[in-house]
Amino acid sequence: MTRYKKQDPELTRRKFINAAMGGAAAIGTLSLISTLGGAKPVFRLTPALAPPMEGDVLVHADPSRYGEPVKVSDLGLQLVRAWPQGKDKNGSPVIRDQDPTSVLAIFKYPAGQIQAPTNMEGTIDGQIVAYGDRCQHAGCNVGNNDQKPGLMNCPCHSGQYDPKLGGKVIGGPPPAPLAQLPIKLDGDKIVATGFFLSKPYGFNTEDDWTKYTAQVKELLS
Amino acid sequence: MNQWLDERLHISRLNDKFLRKAFPVHHSFFLGEITLFSLIVLIITGILLALSYEPSNSLVVNSFDPGTADKVNYIPAAYHSALKINAMPFGDMLRRVHHWMANIMVAAAVIHMMRIYFTGAFKKPREINWWIGMLLLIFAALTAVTGYILPYDNYAYQTVGVVYAITKSVPWVGDWASQAAFAGQFPGAGIIPRIYGYHIMLLPGILLALTGAHLLIMIKQKHTQPQYAKRLAYKKIVGVPLLTQQTPIMLLLALLFTGIVLLFAAFIPVHPVEVFGAPSSTPIPNIKPDWYLLWVFGALAIIPSFDFQILGGTIGAEFVGAMVFPGIVIGLMFAVPMLDISKENNYYAENPTDHPVRLAAGTAFMAFMLTLSLAGYKPDLIQGGVLTTANANAVLWILVFVVPALTYFATVGIVRLIRALREADERDAAAHSAQLSHSAADD
Ligand code: FES
């Protein structure tokens, strides 16, 4: 009898230690997770971080001509990479080059080549068309297709797009067409007339993109 | 002096326990050591590099090419410091040694694991060390990738973009996780400090801790004994003691190895940051990850695109190709010790040809990884005219399955042949000695 009596408190002590260790581990994990919360900084939208939007002038992204407005004479079957240039609160120009999703590719084709599903309203005379230049697959910058001028080729996993057909995927793994940016000619400058017409790379659904543009409008206008 | 130390530190116990550890005499047992030496050289060169590196992606004026007053040439501070390191005496050399060592460390670790696998050294009681070894391999790869990002040239920028995208592709939590891991939306203002912290503190800490555990367990469990030990002294540990016999061999090997890598680094340039230039939106044609990640890249290149929604989460080709599929492959490797559920402890390294299925499965697995890596060259194959855009995926998919299958059966066939020859040899030898003893008896 005495033996059993002696063992009982031993057991509860063991139980207590186990519970204490479990409790400590749980509290430790929780506090670790709460500090992890600080790992993600707050997102503050600034004009430089904004996506291309109505009224933005398209300027060259290439380092040699950085910031010069893109002219029609610069364009052709080889893509011209551009950033949107908007205005900050004081009205001075800002190049929106802080979010890589904003980078653009502009093409000019002979009349009649650009066809649906391209949004024809968003082109200039059905000849000049602009797209977001980040691949819908993993966000690499899409370049020219060296063999077939006028088509686009992603260097990362050989995704291929046809800018004449609304940025349609014609090869490789990308899950969605490139996002078209509606543009018009204003004097000799090319100007955006709105947001991307579909979700650019980095947004999971069209819904996410519409919500984001609504937010951008509210914050920056 | 020995006594003085002994009274305080109990050196004799340490001596008996660790310093007399017997090392098997066989060259394939040096692979683990080479991995360890690379880690040590990596830490030393890494510290030296860290002394001159500036972990920041804020823009500074490029002191080598300041531009003009109205068009100042700004580049990220991290990239600027990489340029400065290159301009330092032997700075470029330091970067090259660090780079080549990293590659060699992963290579040596992979071959070391192959040795373990093919000789059955992962069997009971060494399963835990196989798992720790797998973790070491994974963290070594992560450390290498974060190291690629630090110079913050255009190559690094494009790479980190893809790594960010892969993290983001995880359903439900991806958005939060990628922003938490990379300090905000790509490329956040704090991305380089964050990755610097990973590369010089977090990941090396993990690597060192795991390496320590790996070695301690190895010392406790002893190496598997090579076959000759069985003949020499059954169930006894055979080998040369760490002190004093193995130590000079190790030192010699370490020096020779480091010397070879230095020579190598002197003649083969790596990762020319000047050529890639500062981060920009210009893509790098045919950009590829390092060889040990090429198989993931290959899988991404041939998995056709799809995506669907479950419970508000998006599951896409990228997630499947870059997370699920490597997860399965790594899971399989983790499961290797489960393939053998013998109750007995394994003392001796096995002859691979005595286990044809294991051997064939191993070679088939390697063939699988190699064909997937080949698939990573898809854009180049198309450009070179070997494949066309239309047939590339189909051809590569077929290769990915057919080549490993062929390798499997070829290996089994070759093993059969070897064993047949060996048995014939043994029969010959037996007959011969029988004849000899026969004739000897006759005389
Ligand atoms: S990022 Fe463009 S194809 Fe993968």
Side-chain angles (χ1 to χ4, degrees), chain B residues 12-21 219 222:
Chain B
S12 52
R13 255 190 72 209
L14 183 77
N15 186 40
D16 296 343
K17 272 225 146 48
F18 295 109
L19 302 181
R20 304 284 306 162
K21 178 191 164 21
I219 288 170
K222 317 278 183 279

Side-chain angles (χ1 to χ4, degrees), chain A residues 39-41 43 61 63-64 81 98 100 103 134 137-138 140-141 143 147 155-158 160 173-175 201-202 204-205, chain B residues 71 157-158 162 165 168 176 179-180 183-187 194 281-284 297 300 303 305 307 309 318 378 383 389:
Chain A
K40 181 190 162 184
F43 178 67
S64 63
R81 221 170 258 114
Q98 292 304 301
V103 75
R134 278 193 95 191
H137 182 230
C140 292
N141 291 116
Q147 275 130 20
C156 286
H157 315 102
S158 57
Q160 288 163 335
Y201 168 80
N204 286 336
T205 58
Chain B
K71 223 174 147 197
Y157 177 78
Q158 303 280 341
V162 173
K168 198 180 158 120
W176 187 88
Q179 290 190 38
Q185 286 187 357
F186 175 76
R194 186 62 61 93
S281 49
T282 320
I284 298 169
F297 188 78
L300 271 177
I303 292 178
S305 77
D307 65 282
Q309 312 262 333
E318 198 180 2
K378 182 170 115 176
Q383 244 168 38
T389 317

Side-chain angles (χ1 to χ4, degrees), chain B residues 96 184 266 289:
Chain B
R96 291 181 192 187

Side-chain angles (χ1 to χ4, degrees), chain A residues 94-108:
Chain A
V94 190
I95 300 181
R96 308 192 198 279
D97 62 355
Q98 292 304 301
D99 182 350
T101 307
S102 306
V103 75
L104 303 164
I106 319 174
F107 289 92
K108 180 169 186 269

Side-chain angles (χ1 to χ4, degrees), chain B residues 148-159:
Chain B
Y148 260 84
I149 296 167
L150 290 184
Y152 214 53
D153 55 355
N154 196 22
Y155 185 97
Y157 177 78
Q158 303 280 341
T159 309

Side-chain angles (χ1 to χ4, degrees), chain B residues 65-313:
Chain B
D65 174 19
T68 53
D70 57 327
K71 223 174 147 197
V72 185
N73 190 7
Y74 289 111
I75 54 175
Y79 177 59
H80 191 219
S81 69
L83 293 180
K84 279 206 241 166
I85 288 175
N86 272 3
M88 247 159 50
F90 292 106
D92 192 16
M93 182 78 181
L94 203 59
R95 280 190 51 238
R96 291 181 192 187
V97 175
H98 197 70
H99 177 110
W100 283 123
M101 270 302 174
N103 272 285
I104 287 170
M105 183 170 109
V106 181
V110 168
I111 305 174
H112 172 65
M113 279 185 113
M114 273 156 61
R115 206 274 296 162
I116 305 290
Y117 174 81
F118 286 123
T119 62
F122 55 82
K123 289 186 178 176
K124 193 187 166 191
R126 296 184 181 78
E127 300 99 322
I128 305 174
N129 243 7
W130 172 268
W131 292 324
I132 295 184
M134 279 300 303
L135 290 178
L136 272 166
L137 191 67
I138 295 169
F139 281 105
L142 284 178
T143 317
V145 170
T146 49
Y148 260 84
I149 296 167
L150 290 184
Y152 214 53
D153 55 355
N154 196 22
Y155 185 97
Y157 177 78
Q158 303 280 341
T159 309
V160 69
V162 173
V163 178
Y164 182 91
I166 289 173
T167 321
K168 198 180 158 120
S169 70
V170 181
W172 303 293
V173 295
D175 215 11
W176 187 88
S178 55
Q179 290 190 38
F182 297 98
Q185 286 187 357
F186 175 76
I191 189 160
I192 285 291
R194 186 62 61 93
I195 287 175
Y196 181 67
Y198 296 155
H199 184 74
I200 77 153
M201 306 274 286
L202 182 64
L203 293 169
I206 294 175
L207 279 183
L208 281 176
L210 286 172
T211 306
H214 200 64
L215 296 184
L216 274 181
I217 293 179
M218 183 266 293
I219 288 170
K220 170 121 185 75
Q221 295 182 328
K222 317 278 183 279
H223 278 96
T224 40
Q225 294 291 304
Q227 283 291 328
Y228 70 82
K230 202 176 192 170
R231 272 176 271 119
L232 231 60
Y234 185 60
K235 289 230 166 170
K236 292 245 162 53
I237 303 291
V238 179
V240 298
L242 174 61
L243 217 64
T244 53
Q245 278 89 323
Q246 180 76 1
T247 314
I249 305 180
M250 275 168 105
L251 278 177
L252 212 68
L253 180 68
L255 290 175
L256 185 70
F257 165 69
T258 316
I260 290 175
V261 177
L262 280 172
L263 199 69
F264 204 61
F267 290 105
I268 310 179
V270 292
H271 198 84
V273 283
E274 292 90 349
V275 175
F276 291 117
S280 82
S281 49
T282 320
I284 298 169
N286 298 334
I287 185 172
K288 271 182 202 53
D290 263 341
W291 58 271
Y292 43 85
L293 289 177
L294 205 49
W295 57 282
V296 182
F297 188 78
L300 271 177
I302 58 172
I303 292 178
S305 77
F306 64 85
D307 65 282
F308 55 86
Q309 312 262 333
I310 325 180
L311 306 171

